[in-house]
Amino acid sequence: MMIQPRRALLAVWDAILNCSTTAPGDWTNPGRDGANSISDAEQLVCLLYPALKVPDLGFSVPDDTGSDVLRALSPLGDWAGIPRTVTAVIEGYLDTYSDSEGRPVFPPGSYLRPLRPDTEPADEQSRLETVEAYSMSVTLSLSALAFVKSFAKHVQGAELTEALRRTERALNIRLTHAMRGLLNSFTVDVFPQDSPKGAALLRAVDQRSQPRRTLLDGLRNELQPIRAGLLGLALPEAVAARLGDESLLFQCGWAWGPMGTEDDTRPLQMTADPVPSLYFTVAAMDGIVDFFASQTARMGLLGPQQQTLAHDLRLRWELTQSYWTALARFGGGRWPLKDMRWRVGDHEEDQESDYVTLQVASVVVHNLMRHRGVDDVTPVDDLRPLVDVLEELADRGGITRRPSERARTVQLHDPGELLPLPGADRHGGPPVGWRTADYTPMLLKRMLQVAGLTQDLSQRDRMLSAADALFDHLWRRRLTQGRAAGLWDAPGSVFGTQGPSPDAPSWYLTERVVEVLVVAASTVSARPARSPLLLDLAGELLREAEHLFAQEMMSPPLSDSSAEVLLVRIEADLREVRDLVELRPGTAVALAQEALRDLHALVRARTRATRGG
């Protein structure tokens, strides 16, 4: 893999601070979408998330901050000033997005788009809470909590200590609200098999033109454990009754927003229709997975109440993964996921899209990663169809193949797809939607995750080779002018589309590229994949070297004192080879060859001594 995540992240930080600070301690959002709770959070996450996830990029402990990190963050202050400034920026965000009584708010701002060009969202709609806002708040809150807790251990002044405590309390309130919001946005949609929605589902999974009864029986059996799991959740009574009827089909996941239960602080309005959206399901999953990350547990970031909420979210997270994975792999032969393009809705606006295929693939990757956490081994056969799908999505997306005008490939990236938000006009205002334009970073992230899952070197090489191509594509989409140069997004630079080159950053895409770089850093930090050939070769070389070393130790010592020094070194090398042969067989081969050369030099020296040379 040619991606250099650490250097790239430092370059992104340098570009962020160049456009976000005009004076020491100053912080502004110059993004093209304006200030809102999501865009401002994305800008902050670009700084805080890599510091949490990537070793040696942290800046919460002044004495331990690396020199290259200090250089990149120097507009925020010196080694001691950087964490103080970041604390103030986090506090400013929390103040801005809390109401007069300190309760968090999640205004979507310009991320909410009217479906009709001659309309504008109503004031009531500007206060809609969305899964995207909740998910981004989860990532921001956990990253900021990790930073605040770590920095607080190294602070002595009473004023700053109190500011950190205040910030930690506000972050926990926001995190808890976001977790409840995610819980209230989970939904199960039940529908007859002969409805348009049922027909779309059966069409998606049927790869062998099976008789309808055979197909339905097979699908019912496959989904039975998931149906039983969902019935164990606290579903609305009417939904549970319909779900218990096995003649009906169903789907589960996250709607675009909450659906009207009450928390203990304020009532939530009935907003989203109770229909899962794959885009918001993936967004929810990308946030929920952070609850189960090793850093979250190690740093004790969740309190008892949040741990209960995380447990409830995990149940829904696992069931949803199992549901979509069962559909994607249904039938035991050719995966339905490979039959592009997928269509899962029954509305006219639910067009077939490669985006939908990518979102289903994303859920499957989440499922495989969860199972690897249990078994630490992912069967190779599980990944081959997924590798094929991700490669084809890169082709069809016009990234590794020339874009197709007929298929409107470029529009997939620029301006992206506009998803309707059903139910968002229930309390007034026009129908509105959500713009999605993260096809390339989402695809790249899944490729890197699959590369980290597989032990098959050919599949890993295919994914990493494609990942390099996608990253090169993304890197060329950076802005090249203005104070935000080095950030995203200028898709015209790779697709040759007309229009003025933008000079304001898209935090939406920049944050997603940063997420990709964090995944790339994790891939680089993992143990290198082992080649079976190298493993066998290292074993054979070690065996011969140890045998020759034993023979050498049986021989009379040479008069040359340097021979004794060489024997000590050979013994040390062979011990190291034995330690490395399982983990790094290539390195073990190199060391074993060096030991064999040294042993041969001793043999030559002994021959010369015998001949009196």
Side-chain angles (χ1 to χ4, degrees):
M1 184 172 72
M2 300 304 293
I3 303 172
Q4 299 176 17
R6 181 185 173 84
R7 291 188 178 190
L9 282 167
L10 289 170
V12 172
W13 279 2
D14 186 60
I16 289 173
L17 294 176
N18 189 48
C19 70
S20 303
T21 58
T22 54
D26 181 37
W27 182 262
T28 186
N29 178 356
R32 66 184 64 170
D33 297 302
N36 61 68
S37 70
I38 304 171
S39 180
D40 288 5
E42 289 168 337
Q43 183 188 14
L44 258 175
V45 163
C46 288
L47 281 184
L48 293 170
Y49 191 62
L52 171 65
K53 292 288 187 177
V54 181
D56 301 326
L57 277 187
F59 47 81
S60 60
V61 182
D63 290 340
D64 293 345
T65 305
S67 57
D68 51 355
V69 174
L70 288 175
R71 277 195 300 275
L73 301 183
S74 59
L76 296 175
D78 58 13
W79 62 279
I82 290 170
R84 289 172 178 266
T85 304
V86 172
T87 301
V89 173
I90 296 171
E91 197 170 21
Y93 175 88
L94 295 169
D95 287 344
T96 300
Y97 296 109
S98 298
D99 65 16
S100 58
E101 298 180 20
R103 294 177 300 203
V105 295
F106 301 81
S110 61
Y111 280 35
L112 202 64
R113 308 291 179 98
L115 295 183
R116 295 197 303 265
D118 57 340
T119 59
E120 289 292 332
D123 288 345
E124 184 70 24
Q125 291 173 311
S126 69
R127 294 190 288 274
L128 289 176
E129 297 187 4
T130 63
V131 163
E132 183 105 345
Y134 295 146
S135 179
M136 194 53 62
S137 278
V138 166
T139 303
L140 172 63
S141 299
L142 290 176
S143 304
L145 278 170
F147 166 80
V148 167
K149 283 174 175 281
S150 174
F151 184 38
K153 295 176 183 174
H154 305 273
V155 168
Q156 293 182 341
E159 186 178 345
L160 183 54
T161 300
E162 179 52 33
L164 288 168
R165 287 177 182 158
R166 191 170 57 245
T167 301
E168 184 177 340
R169 282 196 297 272
L171 284 168
N172 274 313
I173 291 172
R174 190 169 192 85
L175 176 61
T176 302
H177 185 102
M179 295 174 79
R180 284 188 175 132
L182 286 173
L183 211 51
N184 293 333
S185 303
F186 179 81
T187 186
V188 180
D189 184 22
V190 187
F191 43 87
Q193 53 187 262
D194 56 357
S195 66
K197 206 175 291 184
L201 175 57
L202 294 175
R203 189 168 55 247
V205 300
D206 184 16
Q207 296 299 298
R208 294 181 292 177
S209 301
Q210 300 178 69
R212 185 180 177 84
R213 177 49 52 194
T214 304
L215 179 64
L216 280 169
D217 287 346
L219 191 58
R220 187 179 299 114
N221 291 335
E222 187 76 26
L223 298 181
Q224 176 52 34
I226 302 162
R227 188 189 296 265
L230 290 169
L231 285 170
L233 303 178
L235 298 175
E237 191 174 330
V239 174
R242 287 170 58 79
L243 186 60
D245 182 349
E246 294 192 0
S247 68
L248 300 176
L249 297 174
F250 67 95
Q251 56 180 338
C252 60
W254 274 262
W256 61 263
M259 287 160 293
T261 58
E262 293 185 355
D263 59 23
D264 58 1
T265 58
R266 59 174 166 167
L268 287 172
Q269 290 185 321
M270 171 74 83
T271 51
D273 282 356
V275 180
S277 156
L278 269 168
Y279 175 81
F280 290 102
T281 293
V282 174
M285 286 186 168
D286 282 342
I288 290 171
V289 73
D290 287 335
F291 294 132
F292 317 116
S294 59
Q295 294 95 339
T296 304
R298 190 173 63 247
M299 300 184 73
L301 299 182
L302 299 181
Q305 184 185 22
Q306 293 161 342
Q307 288 178 5
T308 301
L309 291 168
H311 172 74
D312 293 343
L313 284 168
R314 181 171 192 130
L315 292 177
R316 290 153 177 79
W317 181 64
E318 292 180 354
L319 288 166
T320 303
Q321 290 173 17
S322 299
Y323 173 83
W324 289 102
T325 301
L327 297 188
R329 303 169 53 178
F330 179 73
R334 173 186 165 85
W335 283 24
L337 182 62
K338 297 184 74 171
D339 191 10
M340 302 179 195
R341 301 165 176 160
W342 268 52
R343 176 175 177 172
V344 293
D346 62 337
H347 301 293
E348 288 184 2
E349 59 269 30
D350 294 328
Q351 299 296 318
E352 292 179 337
S353 168
D354 289 328
Y355 232 127
V356 176
T357 308
L358 175 56
Q359 286 153 0
V360 177
S362 296
V363 179
V364 175
V365 173
H366 268 286
N367 193 50
L368 289 168
M369 292 178 68
R370 174 168 63 90
H371 282 291
R372 190 193 57 168
V374 174
D375 303 322
D376 205 30
V377 175
T378 301
V380 172
D381 287 347
D382 271 353
L383 298 183
R384 189 171 296 117
L386 199 53
V387 169
D388 296 341
V389 166
L390 296 179
E391 282 184 332
E392 186 170 351
L393 286 172
D395 287 345
R396 296 168 68 100
I399 307 168
T400 51
R401 183 190 296 163
R402 186 186 311 149
S404 164
E405 291 186 13
R406 190 171 57 182
R408 297 171 55 81
T409 307
V410 174
Q411 284 81 355
L412 197 63
H413 310 269
D414 182 23
E417 296 189 347
L418 188 58
L419 296 178
L421 304 184
D425 55 344
R426 186 175 295 116
H427 297 283
V432 291
W434 202 264
R435 180 74 70 190
T436 65
D438 60 345
Y439 185 90
T440 305
M442 184 189 294
L443 178 56
L444 175 52
K445 184 176 179 179
R446 304 312 170 200
M447 285 180 166
L448 290 170
Q449 288 171 331
V450 170
L453 284 170
T454 182
Q455 295 298 312
D456 183 297
L457 293 181
S458 66
Q459 292 175 16
R460 179 183 169 87
D461 288 347
R462 285 171 62 188
M463 284 291 88
L464 293 182
S465 175
D468 281 334
L470 264 66
F471 187 73
D472 180 65
H473 166 96
L474 271 178
W475 202 248
R476 288 187 288 120
R477 283 172 56 171
R478 290 179 302 159
L479 307 181
T480 56
Q481 62 182 20
R483 295 191 61 195
L487 301 179
W488 283 264
D489 181 26
S493 60
V494 292
F495 294 118
T497 50
Q498 299 296 319
S501 179
D503 56 8
S506 161
W507 296 120
Y508 173 88
L509 206 77
T510 298
E511 190 276 335
R512 281 148 180 80
V513 175
V514 166
E515 276 190 43
V516 164
L517 290 169
V518 168
V519 174
S522 174
T523 304
V524 170
S525 301
R527 290 178 183 174
R530 295 180 305 172
S531 159
L533 291 176
L534 277 179
L535 198 60
D536 289 345
L537 179 60
E540 292 299 327
L541 290 174
L542 176 61
R543 192 172 299 112
E544 180 177 340
E546 286 181 333
H547 188 79
L548 293 177
F549 178 74
Q551 287 182 337
E552 186 62 38
M553 296 303 289
M554 290 286 289
S555 303
L558 290 166
S559 56
D560 186 350
S561 60
S562 62
E564 193 63 29
V565 175
L566 190 56
L567 282 170
V568 171
R569 193 177 78 189
I570 293 171
E571 183 178 16
D573 283 347
L574 293 180
R575 290 183 188 279
E576 192 170 4
V577 170
R578 185 159 289 283
D579 290 340
L580 289 173
V581 70
E582 289 290 333
L583 297 177
R584 293 159 55 189
T587 305
V589 166
L591 287 175
Q593 288 175 329
E594 188 174 334
L596 284 167
R597 276 195 295 272
D598 289 342
L599 285 164
H600 190 62
L602 288 173
V603 171
R604 283 178 171 174
R606 192 175 301 285
T607 302
R608 284 197 299 271
T610 302
R611 294 173 178 170

